[in-house]
């Protein structure tokens, strides 16, 4: 009782910490913290979407008319460009004149958009500071771009990671399900005891192999094979991740499905055979319908294993945070994103909080899967013979 209480209390604390850190994302500014965007006072533009701000600084949007302004070319100014606009004498020997110089530069250039540290804004600033909005749930859950280090406006679009995770997980289940169920039927109903004693430990051994070993196998064998067969520039694709996850999910599906098939009462099987049904007809008409809840539980557990896998997927999928269009393109999953970026994200920043929000979503996904397994496993299916 004491151990159960301590374990439950620890899990609750972890969940509270996870959601507390993740929820802070929606109070973070959509411009990099500590920096501002400034415009000339005569510029009629009052608000620019964060995605369009990134496009402006990436030179994909080059005219103010594209964001609701005048028909004039946008002049992008980064703080590192200040030496192009002012001499060393104007800046001062100790750079003490930088605030005034920045103010004058913005006042003298009507089409400028300037990005610089907030502490350089003087009291009598001659430009106009754009109001910083906040990262909203709509921009996070509906965003299609994941560029957490983009300046001046990081992009935290959740959809590429979510669909990348679903894409590779569903493909893995579709690959492993027929083979896994077939092996489970063979071990439970067709194999003799000697073969079962050999195959059972081998299958269980697959579940004990570290995921990084599967990743190395995929990187050395599966990735070059996919690249050669499909004529791709790179072999790190969603298909490579799906194949590796299919291999990793096989032991879970086989073991759980076999146990479910073995729970079919002997009397039901013998009754079917006594009525003249063949062995295969008995398997198809009696055993599988009776054990369908356990087989579904095996499938859902396999999906859970695929969704939560990190290292193997990180190594073979290419880690491209883009909306997936086919299985032969690089993708990135939620667990791989957390593993790859958490060590580089500044503690307490928007990037750090966005990764915790991804962790919250992953927690909810696995919780839903666990609840589904419990619900499916408790269903009592009746089979009429």
């Amino acid at each position: 009782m004491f151990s159960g209480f301590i374990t439950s209390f620890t899990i609750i604390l972890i969940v509270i910490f996870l959601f507390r850190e993740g929820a802070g994302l929606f109070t973070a500014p959509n411009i990099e913290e500590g920096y501002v965007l400034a415009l000339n006072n005569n510029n009629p533009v009052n608000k620019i979407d964060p995605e369009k701000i990134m496009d402006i600084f990436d030179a994909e949007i080059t005219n103010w008319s594209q964001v609701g302004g005048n028909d004039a070319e946008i002049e992008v100014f980064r703080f590192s460009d200040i030496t192009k606009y002012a001499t060393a004498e104007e800046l001062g020997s100790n750079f003490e004149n930088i605030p005034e110089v920045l103010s004058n530069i913005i006042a003298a250039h009507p089409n400028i958009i300037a990005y610089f540290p907030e502490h350089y804004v003087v009291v009598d600033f001659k430009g106009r500071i754009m109001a910083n909005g906040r990262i909203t749930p709509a921009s996070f859950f509906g965003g299609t771009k994941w560029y957490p280090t983009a300046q001046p406006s990081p992009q935290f679009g959740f959809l590429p990671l979510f669909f990348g995770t679903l894409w590779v997980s569903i493909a893995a289940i579709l690959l492993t399900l027929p083979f896994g169920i077939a092996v489970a039927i063979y071990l439970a109903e067709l194999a003799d005891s000697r073969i079962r004693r050999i195959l059972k430990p081998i299958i269980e051994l697959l579940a004990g192999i570290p995921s990084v070993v599967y990743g190395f196998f995929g990187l050395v064998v599966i990735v070059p094979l996919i690249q050669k067969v499909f004529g791709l520039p790179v072999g790190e694709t969603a298909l490579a991740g799906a194949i590796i996850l299919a291999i990793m999910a096989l032991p879970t599906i086989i073991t759980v499905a076999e146990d479910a098939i073995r729970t079919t009462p002997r009397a039901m099987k013998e009754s079917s055979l006594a009525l003249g049904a063949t062995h295969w007809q008995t398997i198809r008409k009696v055993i599988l319908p009776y054990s369908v809840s356990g087989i579904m539980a095996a499938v859902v557990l396999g999906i859970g294993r695929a969704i939560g896998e990190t290292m193997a997927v990180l190594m073979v999928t290419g880690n491209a945070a883009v909306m997936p269009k086919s299985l032969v393109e690089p993708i990135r999953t939620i667990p791989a994103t957390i593993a790859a970026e958490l060590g580089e994200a500044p503690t307490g920043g928007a990037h750090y909080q966005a990764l915790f929000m991804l962790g919250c979503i992953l927690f909810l996904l696995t919780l839903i899967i666990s609840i589904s397994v419990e619900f499916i496993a408790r269903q009592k299916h009746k089979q009429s013979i």
Side-chain angles (χ1 to χ4, degrees):
M1 182 183 69
F2 178 76
S3 298
F5 174 78
I6 293 298
T7 303
S8 302
F9 183 69
T10 303
I11 292 174
I12 291 172
L13 289 180
I14 292 173
V15 172
I16 292 173
F17 171 75
L18 183 67
F19 278 86
R20 187 191 67 180
E21 292 293 328
L25 173 67
F26 302 124
T27 61
N30 53 25
I31 302 298
E32 187 175 358
E33 195 167 357
Y35 286 79
V36 295
L37 284 178
L39 304 177
N40 186 278
N41 281 324
N42 296 323
N43 195 322
V45 176
N46 294 316
K47 184 179 179 181
I48 307 176
D49 293 337
E51 201 168 305
K52 291 183 178 180
I53 292 174
M54 185 185 73
D55 291 340
I56 288 173
F57 280 81
D58 288 343
E60 294 183 15
I61 293 178
T62 57
N63 196 290
W64 282 112
S65 61
Q66 296 175 263
V67 291
N70 298 323
D71 184 13
E73 187 175 350
I74 298 175
E75 184 179 355
V76 175
F77 175 89
R78 296 178 175 85
F79 184 66
S80 58
D81 298 330
I82 193 169
T83 54
K84 299 177 183 178
Y85 291 81
T87 63
E89 291 77 12
E90 291 173 329
L91 295 175
S93 58
N94 294 317
F95 303 104
E96 67 276 5
N97 298 328
I98 286 180
E100 289 77 13
V101 170
L102 284 172
S103 179
N104 293 331
I105 291 173
I106 294 168
H109 296 79
N111 299 318
I112 197 170
I113 178 170
Y115 169 62
F116 57 90
E118 186 177 13
H119 62 269
Y120 286 125
V121 178
V122 294
V123 176
D124 55 344
F125 187 69
K126 299 177 183 178
R128 175 163 53 87
I129 303 298
M130 290 186 61
N132 283 353
R134 300 289 173 182
I135 297 173
T136 63
S139 65
F140 178 78
F141 291 105
T144 59
K145 294 182 179 180
W146 180 267
Y147 298 112
T149 58
Q151 292 181 335
S153 182
Q155 302 296 306
F156 301 105
F158 163 70
L159 289 181
L161 309 180
F162 177 71
F163 284 113
T165 303
L166 289 186
W167 198 255
V168 72
S169 300
I170 293 174
I173 293 302
L174 292 178
L175 288 174
T176 195
L177 186 58
F179 187 70
I181 300 302
V183 174
I185 294 172
Y186 174 76
L187 290 177
E189 294 294 327
L190 303 175
D192 58 40
S193 58
R194 183 175 61 86
I195 295 178
R196 189 180 298 115
R197 285 196 300 268
I198 295 173
L199 290 181
K200 190 76 171 175
I202 294 176
I203 292 171
E204 292 174 351
L205 180 63
L206 289 174
I209 298 176
S211 60
V212 69
V213 177
Y214 283 107
F216 275 122
F217 171 76
L219 202 59
V220 173
V221 178
I222 303 298
V223 167
L225 182 62
I226 290 175
Q227 183 179 6
K228 182 178 180 181
V229 170
F230 292 96
L232 303 173
V234 292
E236 288 88 351
T237 60
L239 181 59
I243 293 173
I244 293 300
L245 287 182
I247 297 172
M248 296 177 69
L250 266 178
T252 300
I253 293 178
I254 292 173
T255 302
V256 178
E258 185 201 0
D259 291 342
I261 292 171
R262 284 183 175 276
T263 60
T264 305
R266 184 181 181 87
M268 293 182 65
K269 294 188 284 187
E270 291 178 346
S271 299
S272 175
L273 294 171
L275 291 172
T278 65
H279 195 178
W280 281 110
Q281 287 174 329
T282 301
I283 292 173
R284 186 167 60 90
K285 296 288 189 178
V286 177
I287 296 174
L288 290 182
Y290 182 86
S291 57
V292 67
S293 62
I295 294 174
M296 287 302 298
V299 173
V300 176
L301 283 173
I303 294 174
R305 175 69 188 272
I307 288 177
E309 182 52 47
T310 302
M311 284 309 301
V313 177
L314 180 65
M315 297 171 70
V316 301
T317 54
N319 292 314
V322 296
M323 294 292 287
K325 297 179 181 178
S326 72
L327 284 175
V328 291
E329 293 180 352
I331 55 99
R332 176 180 279 193
T333 64
I334 293 174
T337 301
I338 296 173
E341 298 181 5
L342 189 58
E344 301 176 358
T347 303
H351 188 190
Y352 178 85
Q353 293 165 338
L355 294 177
F356 269 89
M357 181 55 66
L358 292 180
C360 295
I361 295 167
L362 193 61
F363 168 78
L364 292 176
L365 287 176
T366 53
L367 180 63
I368 292 170
I369 289 171
S370 299
I371 294 174
S372 301
V373 170
E374 290 294 326
F375 178 77
I376 293 171
R378 291 184 180 182
Q379 297 300 304
K380 301 296 183 182
H381 295 269
K382 296 181 179 180
Q383 174 69 24
S384 299
I385 300 181

